[in-house]
Every structure is written in C-alpha cells, then in structure tokens.
Amino acid sequence: MSSAPDVADYAAQLRAEGYTCLPALLRPEEVAPFAEALRGEWLRLGRPATLSRADVHLEPGVHVSPVGLTCASVLARIPGLAAVLLRPELLAIFAELLGPGFELEFGAGVLSDDSRPFFFWHHHVGGIDAADLRRAGYPAATRVERLGCTLYATPLDDANGVMQIWPRAAVGPTDPPFRPGEEPWPGATQLRAPAGSVVLFDQGTWHAVTPMRRPGQRFFFGFFIRRRGLSTRRCDPRLAEVFARDPRLAAAYGGAQR
C-alpha cells in the first residue's frame, strides 16, 4: 500500500511538471461556505452576467471578464480563507520551492457559469497584471519565483470543467507548444479533482479550462505567492488590513514584515 505524498513529492512534481495537486485538501463542509460567500457577493451586486470579453468594472476590486466575476482582495471579503493558506502542507511546500520569507502577492475569488466557453490557454509569468511583459516574449525561467495556489470549491470534472495543463519543467523555456487560443492542445494533461482540492502551479505553466456541461455556477479562489522581494505589477491593496487583523497570516506571508 503506497503512502500519501509528502512535501518533497509535491515539490518534486512541481519542479518537473510545473504543477501539483493536493486532492480534497478541504472537506466538502469546509469549502462550501467559501462558495456561498462568493455567491453572496454576486447576489449583492444584483446577479450580474458573469462573462464579458472586455473588462466590466462593477465596483472597486470587482470586475467581469472572460474568466468570470472576479472579486479581488478576497481575504478581506472572506476572512475564513486565511485558514486555507495557513495549512501546514501548503506552508511547507511554499518554503521548499520559494525559500524563506515568501510573500502573498494577490488573491481573488472567481465565479463563472455555463455561459463561459473554453477558457483560453494562458500562464502568469510576471504576475496577474503582466500581459505586456508576456507579449514581449516568453522568458526562460532560472528558478521557481511565483506560484499560483488555486482552491476549487467546485469539482474539476467533465460536468463542471476540466483543467488542461501542459506539463513543463519549472526551470527552462516558457514558450507555448501551440498557439495559445481557445481550443484543447493535443497531449495536454486533463486534471480532474474533487471539490476542496488545491492546485499549485509555477507562473510559467500553461493551463486552460474546458466549459461547464451543466447549468449552474462554479467557484474557485486563486492566490499568487512569490519569492521575497520579487517585483510585481499588482499587489493586493487591502493586504495591510488583512495582515493587521490576522497576525498569523502576516507572520507566514509578510516577507520582510516578519
């Protein structure tokens, strides 16, 4: 009987393939309140459409785009999510891959529905707001510098959408193997995972998501964690407020604030 993966296993997979998955890190009853809180934001906003090809800003920190309805500063909106980022498994993996003093850069909750088509291939080199940097070329990576940490409150499956990932070593080229459009790539990994799973990926890892094949909504919460002192295009404007309220989170993710 094989044992569960440990920190070294998860870190090794991410270094070798650009991603790793901690399946069902949270139980259904733990993750459901986060989805309900995000749905509550959607209701408060008057049930807006959750898809727009061009960004539509609904209020500060909230906009609709091709990814869905995105609520930034999600830790300020849903404080209970801090418990997820304080899970010892995640802290240990971040320390192994990013070194001591890693920093929380940005967090958001995203709600989408069956109106969203295939979510196009993309990666996050340079952070969430670095599209101009990516258009200038695809720089080779020399180390792991920034990780995406995504908690899925809805399963990744054929009914709700499957994550497609192009495995690549975290150190090396970041060029796409095919045109980064809105169709599957042959040979891509099809990642399926239950609700409550956390997917970690290197900033240069290309990924996409297939459409929902049922009516309804889906929810995920994404965070970017970076090496201490790494430059960024956008930081969470409410992070100081979050850290002041939660000293444990500040100690774990505050970098130089430790």
Side-chain angles (χ1 to χ4, degrees):
M1 182 176 178
S2 61
S3 60
D6 62 14
V7 168
D9 294 329
Y10 288 123
Q13 184 188 12
L14 193 139
R15 289 190 180 103
E17 302 183 37
Y19 79 99
T20 192
C21 178
L22 284 69
L25 183 64
L26 275 66
R27 299 187 304 274
E29 61 269 26
E30 291 178 303
V31 73
F34 303 142
E36 284 303 310
L38 190 55
R39 178 175 165 79
E41 291 290 281
W42 175 73
L43 292 171
R44 178 184 65 81
L45 292 162
R47 302 173 181 246
T50 61
L51 178 71
S52 175
R53 285 293 176 180
D55 285 3
V56 176
H57 293 272
L58 302 181
E59 67 179 30
V62 180
H63 71 282
V64 179
S65 72
V67 69
L69 173 71
T70 300
C71 294
S73 301
V74 70
L75 287 167
R77 300 171 189 273
I78 310 176
L81 282 166
V84 180
L85 291 177
L86 290 171
R87 292 288 296 245
E89 307 96 316
L90 294 179
L91 293 173
I93 295 170
F94 295 152
E96 172 69 20
L97 291 166
L98 299 172
F102 51 84
E103 299 170 331
L104 178 61
E105 183 172 271
F106 184 78
V110 178
L111 183 159
S112 62
D113 60 26
D114 55 307
S115 68
R116 194 181 81 177
F118 184 93
F119 187 61
F120 54 84
W121 287 94
H122 63 289
H123 66 182
H124 296 285
V125 170
I128 192 70
D129 261 357
D132 56 336
L133 184 153
R134 293 189 285 273
R135 282 195 297 269
Y138 300 106
T142 58
R143 62 178 183 174
V144 179
E145 291 190 330
R146 177 182 283 107
L147 297 174
C149 172
T150 308
L151 168 67
Y152 284 90
T154 309
L156 288 168
D157 58 21
D158 293 327
N160 294 284
V162 173
M163 177 174 279
Q164 300 206 348
I165 299 176
W166 190 261
R168 52 167 286 277
V171 173
T174 62
D175 309 64
F178 303 98
R179 185 181 68 85
E182 299 183 14
E183 64 281 325
W185 287 347
T189 294
Q190 311 291 308
L191 180 60
R192 294 172 173 83
S197 298
V198 170
V199 179
L200 304 178
F201 53 90
D202 176 71
Q203 65 176 350
T205 300
W206 290 88
H207 54 288
V209 182
T210 62
M212 290 185 78
R213 303 200 180 281
R214 66 165 182 87
Q217 296 176 324
R218 56 187 165 190
F219 308 86
F220 75 84
F221 301 89
F223 303 92
F224 286 99
I225 318 298
R226 67 185 181 203
R227 280 186 181 269
R228 179 173 176 173
L230 189 69
S231 63
T232 183
R233 298 300 181 91
R234 180 199 285 181
C235 285
D236 189 331
R238 298 182 67 182
L239 203 52
E241 166 193 337
V242 170
F243 283 167
R245 185 184 61 224
D246 193 333
R248 289 182 63 203
L249 199 67
Y253 290 94
Q257 297 186 32
R258 291 191 184 201

